[in-house]
Amino acid sequence: MSLESFKKEVAALVESGFGIFHGAKTTPVKIRFYDKAARIVSTQTWHPKQIVTNGKDYIELQFPAADFTEVLSKIIAFGPNARPVEPKELVTLWKQEIDAMQKIASVC
């Protein structure tokens, strides 16, 4: 393999998915951000291939992800001002995380 081929292969892998989790297979994710989160995210680049769509009271961010771990963490960090739209698997993981937090909160 030539150095040029190697560089292209590494660049393709790095750009494949969101954050530190990379892989050959990615899944498109779609997240909506509201209020303060929308203003913050609208100024950020999360992925070189991201697509930002402006809604009436939100912005929607789309990008490929090889793993949902870091994506879920970012969504949770914005609290009620962010929610995943697609894929269903990410939405389910988000709801499970909220349920787990609710259980912990009810003990306090």
Side-chain angles (χ1 to χ4, degrees), residues 36-52:
K36 181 180 177 181
R39 290 188 297 278
I40 292 168
V41 173
S42 70
T43 66
Q44 299 176 340
T45 301
W46 286 26
H47 190 276
K49 295 180 181 175
Q50 75 184 29
I51 299 169
V52 178

Side-chain angles (χ1 to χ4, degrees), residues 18 29 31 63 65 67-75 90:
F18 172 76
V29 301
I31 308 164
F63 54 88
D67 185 280
F68 297 141
T69 304
E70 193 172 359
V71 176
L72 183 60
S73 175
K74 294 282 270 187
I75 296 168
L90 178 58

Side-chain angles (χ1 to χ4, degrees), residues 1-7:
M1 176 182 288
S2 72
L3 180 58
E4 237 4 82
S5 295
F6 177 73
K7 286 180 181 180

Side-chain angles (χ1 to χ4, degrees), residues 31-35 38 52-61 81 83 85:
I31 308 164
R32 285 191 182 162
F33 297 91
Y34 302 86
D35 300 322
V52 178
T53 306
N54 293 307
K56 183 178 178 183
D57 60 348
Y58 63 87
I59 68 160
E60 193 168 84
L61 185 62
N81 292 316
R83 73 174 182 86
V85 178

